[in-house]
Amino acid sequence: MSAPLNTSSVWRDLQQHRQSWEGVTLRQLFQDDPQRARNFSAEACGLYLDYSKHLIKPETLRLLITLARARHLEERRAAMFAGERINRTEGRAAFHVALRAPKGHVMRTAGVDVVPEVHKVLEHMAAFTRSIHDGTWRGATGQPIRKIINIGIGGSYLGPEMAWKALRAYRHPGMELGFVANVDGATFTDVTAHLDPAETLFIVSSKTFTTLETMTNAQQARHWVTSALGEAAVARHFVAVSTNVEAVEAFGMDTGHMFGFWDWVGGRYSMDSAIGLSTMLGVGVEHFTAMLAGFHAMDNHFQTAPLEQNLPVLMGLLALWYNNFWDAQTLAILPYAHDLARFPAYLQQLQMESNGKGVDEDGHPVVVDTGAIIWGEPGTDGQHSFYQLIHQGTRLIPCDFIGFCQPLSPLAEQHELLMANLIAQAEALAFGKTAEELRAEGVAEALVPFRVFPGNRPSSVLLGDRLDPHTLGALVALYEHSVFTQGVIWGIDSFDQWGVELGKVLAQRIVAELQSTARHPHDASTAALLQRYLQRRGS
Ligand SMILES: O=P(O)(O)OC[C@H]1O[C@H](O)[C@H](O)[C@@H](O)[C@@H]1O
């Protein structure tokens, strides 16, 4: 067993190095090194990362990279790309990188080259998509399908919804997508409110095909379709995406219209698998393929670029630097792109489900803090809400600003304003405004303390040219591998999610109590809540 992470010599070196930051300012660092912006920037797959406004010096990076090497990041990365069972608690590979491997590449897990199977499913998805688009596939009454509703939750929802919004400019004409995730009946009613069953297709997306929310909503959808079009309509209005053939059959769905994937694809790493069927239907085969190419390009970069210029590694190390050495609790994701409005929510599952772990891979309690809390809103909305705290509050909140040089909206002038704000916010956070500057501007002395901006607040700026499918794929893969980098250093299993189980089990027990006279022993608070609910729920 290796020594605890926080007693390793490089960890201690980093702690000591952190002490040397007292009194150091980004203003000074930029003054001292005119090349700082160039030295602390890197580019890959159309994404430019400026990380010069971080609280780092060359020595910081050197130590962080030494830490990554000491924790065998390169070997673990090789193990992931070799299809090894790196998800130890579930005894599986985490082989999402194989989902975007081009045809002809060989990627083996458990001795099997999975690329041919992956492409078989992609071809099935493409044929289905084309048949919907060209009207060969029609609904039970002969009407073309125009509305696609993805029923799924967690990893079977967040990626497709995020991508549908992100690729708004690339939507296939005439197609509309909707998403039903929450078990709250209001979601289903809201999404289907103005839909015509005759032109609506449901994709029931669930890796396990056992998830309560998804199965409940799928039954609801079935009822909604059959009460309008009859039982025979199910075959024309439902398809399934799952790894569980038996459960799909048991649900009464035609497995000929099932799109499969594999247990080596984690839910939150599945938007580029058949779980992306709604995305493909929404934006078309070519754009989906371009998105996969973007994922693959970033995989290649992650696999081959030296750690010092490796975007996912750098982003992972920076996140870890604040998490473990600056007591930062959170990371703000701030896309300056309306179309990326759901990107922070997508990253919440990716990062918090992956790295929200309190024991290491050997089952021992971790000795350092792990995954940060991820949150955020698109700019400039956030500026008029929570940025106050980021600029002048007492907490250190590292920020990821994400923006694009070319607008997708025809309102190009507004894009200038948007991007000016992004650049200005990163500048203001880093360099702030001193009391002297305020006085020189004639600010009344009594107001000076309130108007000081301390600066030294770190941020990354990620700039792409356009938010196109390729860039989106690269962006998602960038964060996937950044999460991996952090998980490897902490020594945790980033690919399991046992923490979601207990609530599910308890909910099932409580459902039984609400639907019958069965009673289970509960603590006083839970019992009182149940009792109040039962008394007041109405008949
Ligand atoms: O795709 P499914 O099997 O329906 O799972 C949907 C989601 O629910 C689970 O509880 C997990 O927390 C997620 O990782 C998963 O993405």
Side-chain angles (χ1 to χ4, degrees), residues 143-225:
Q143 266 183 254
I145 299 291
R146 288 289 164 255
K147 309 281 191 281
I148 307 288
I149 306 300
N150 185 79
I151 299 182
I153 198 163
S156 299
Y157 151 63
L158 288 161
E161 190 198 37
M162 181 276 288
W164 168 242
K165 292 195 190 309
L167 301 179
R168 195 170 47 86
Y170 298 85
R171 290 178 183 175
H172 187 85
M175 291 309 293
E176 276 298 323
L177 262 58
F179 296 87
V180 177
N182 199 325
V183 78
D184 184 342
T187 317
F188 186 85
T189 335
D190 182 32
V191 171
T192 52
H194 303 293
L195 296 186
D196 175 1
E199 57 166 26
T200 304
L201 177 101
F202 289 91
I203 305 176
V204 183
S205 297
S206 173
K207 179 176 170 182
T208 56
F209 230 72
T210 57
T211 305
L212 172 81
E213 290 86 341
T214 303
M215 294 302 107
T216 307
N217 282 319
Q219 290 290 6
Q220 198 59 253
R222 192 193 172 103
H223 175 70
W224 185 79
V225 167

Side-chain angles (χ1 to χ4, degrees), residues 19-178:
Q19 303 306 318
S20 74
W21 276 88
E22 288 318 311
V24 176
T25 64
L26 283 170
R27 284 185 181 225
Q28 193 61 50
L29 291 175
F30 271 85
Q31 251 168 39
D32 293 350
D33 178 7
Q35 301 300 322
R36 186 175 167 90
R38 210 187 61 192
N39 292 342
F40 289 130
S41 58
E43 187 169 359
C45 318
L47 289 169
Y48 171 79
L49 171 67
D50 175 0
Y51 59 99
S52 62
K53 295 195 189 76
H54 279 289
L55 304 170
I56 54 167
K57 305 174 195 168
E59 176 66 357
T60 325
L61 272 188
R62 193 190 65 74
L63 287 170
L64 287 168
I65 285 169
T66 306
L67 172 69
R69 292 218 163 89
R71 300 293 287 178
H72 307 294
L73 176 63
E74 287 149 312
E75 293 85 339
R76 298 303 300 269
R77 178 183 63 184
M80 176 169 75
F81 279 91
E84 287 179 25
R85 294 185 177 189
I86 58 170
N87 176 357
R88 279 175 45 189
T89 72
E90 294 182 331
R92 295 171 182 167
F95 209 25
H96 40 280
V97 289
L99 295 170
R100 49 265 192 156
K103 219 173 185 168
H105 274 222
V106 175
M107 299 203 65
R108 288 200 176 85
T109 182
V112 177
D113 175 14
V114 299
V115 179
E117 300 173 48
V118 165
H119 280 269
K120 210 168 133 192
V121 174
L122 283 171
E123 279 153 24
H124 187 192
M125 290 163 64
F128 180 68
T129 299
R130 293 200 173 104
S131 72
I132 293 277
H133 288 175
D134 67 17
T136 351
W137 178 293
R138 287 175 183 254
T141 63
Q143 266 183 254
I145 299 291
R146 288 289 164 255
K147 309 281 191 281
I148 307 288
I149 306 300
N150 185 79
I151 299 182
I153 198 163
S156 299
Y157 151 63
L158 288 161
E161 190 198 37
M162 181 276 288
W164 168 242
K165 292 195 190 309
L167 301 179
R168 195 170 47 86
Y170 298 85
R171 290 178 183 175
H172 187 85
M175 291 309 293
E176 276 298 323
L177 262 58

